[in-house]
Amino acid sequence: MASTHVTGKVPANDNQNEGMSRNDQNILQKHVAFFDQNNDGIVYPWETFKGFRDIGCGVLLSSAAAVFINTGLSGKTRPGKCPSLFFPIEIKNIQKAKHGSDSGVYDSHGRFMESRFEELFRKHARTNPGYLTSDELMGMLKENRDPKDYLGWVASYSEWKILYVLCKDNNGVLTKDTVRAVYDGSLFEQMAKDKAAASSGKRT
């Protein structure tokens, strides 16, 4: 939702300009950058809403996600700053907003941990090493729960449930390639392109 992967970027310096190049971002930042509609390094609730709509979520889910995500993460990514009623999320500090009870695939600097990703499938993909079933996913979430970390439980469940509903294949499973793509942010881009192409096809 996360030992260091050799391709992980060094975390962005806190003095870095907000509108950083995506080539300068770590993997967690790239995961979030899809929602930065104008590439200014900040994600506002309306951008979160549009991002969820772009990947195929309905209005209610997109609205709830925008409220939950931006109110929950804004303050954590803006340390030392006054709270803002616009609830902006600063991408350069997104690693500060990592919640508990997660998979541990991102480290504390927002870098992708290949060993933890492989361990996730080694431990939980019991039916087939190339995918997770719904039951295996629920088992993973229960095992990752930190004691009394109720917000972390809700956050992890919500993230993985949305991913499962939107991205399960025709056999009702989440493939390893799909899960990897959501961690590096490339899945969102592809989903948005697929939805746009489908919508264009309906109009012609």
Side-chain angles (χ1 to χ4, degrees), residues 5 10 14 17 23 58 66 69 94 108 123 133 143-144 157 172 183 191:
H5 182 36
V10 175
D14 283 346
N17 291 332
N23 290 330
I69 291 172
I94 193 62
S108 60
K123 288 177 64 176
T133 66
E143 186 171 318
N144 288 343
Y157 176 84
Y183 277 115
M191 290 174 68

Side-chain angles (χ1 to χ4, degrees), residues 9-193:
K9 298 290 185 182
V10 175
N13 188 295
D14 283 346
N15 293 324
Q16 184 177 358
N17 291 332
E18 305 233 339
M20 69 181 75
S21 163
R22 293 203 180 189
N23 290 330
D24 296 328
Q25 295 173 331
N26 62 40
I27 297 298
L28 180 55
Q29 290 166 346
K30 289 180 180 179
H31 170 83
V32 177
F34 167 77
F35 297 93
D36 182 11
Q37 301 288 320
N38 59 358
N39 297 315
D40 65 350
I42 300 174
V43 179
Y44 290 97
W46 50 90
E47 292 180 297
T48 303
F49 173 84
K50 186 176 187 306
F52 272 86
R53 292 290 288 150
D54 286 346
I55 62 175
C57 295
V59 173
L60 289 179
L61 177 56
S62 299
S63 300
V67 172
F68 181 76
I69 291 172
N70 283 78
T71 56
L73 304 187
S74 179
K76 295 176 182 178
T77 65
R78 305 175 71 247
K81 296 182 179 180
C82 293
S84 169
L85 293 178
F86 293 109
F87 298 105
I89 295 171
E90 295 190 7
I91 295 177
K92 69 178 182 180
N93 294 324
I94 193 62
Q95 70 276 2
K96 299 179 185 297
K98 265 174 51 66
H99 58 75
S101 303
D102 66 357
S103 63
V105 173
Y106 295 123
D107 71 5
S108 60
H109 298 292
R111 296 173 296 201
F112 179 78
M113 299 172 66
E114 179 72 30
S115 61
R116 291 302 299 270
F117 177 78
E118 293 296 336
E119 181 184 359
L120 185 158
F121 277 85
R122 217 168 28 245
K123 288 177 64 176
H124 302 289
R126 298 186 175 94
T127 305
N128 184 294
Y131 60 71
L132 291 169
T133 66
S134 178
D135 288 343
E136 289 167 347
L137 184 58
M138 291 301 104
M140 181 194 75
L141 291 174
K142 289 179 181 178
E143 186 171 318
N144 288 343
R145 287 178 179 173
D146 295 328
K148 298 183 179 180
D149 177 31
Y150 303 117
L151 289 178
W153 297 3
V154 171
S156 290
Y157 176 84
S158 301
E159 292 165 356
W160 283 96
K161 189 64 175 179
I162 291 172
L163 176 64
Y164 179 79
V165 169
L166 292 178
C167 300
K168 63 184 177 182
D169 68 9
N170 292 333
N171 296 314
V173 300
L174 273 181
T175 67
K176 189 174 184 178
D177 287 343
T178 295
V179 176
R180 182 185 290 277
V182 78
Y183 277 115
D184 67 25
S186 61
L187 180 67
F188 300 143
E189 300 281 357
Q190 188 59 51
M191 290 174 68
K193 289 177 182 177

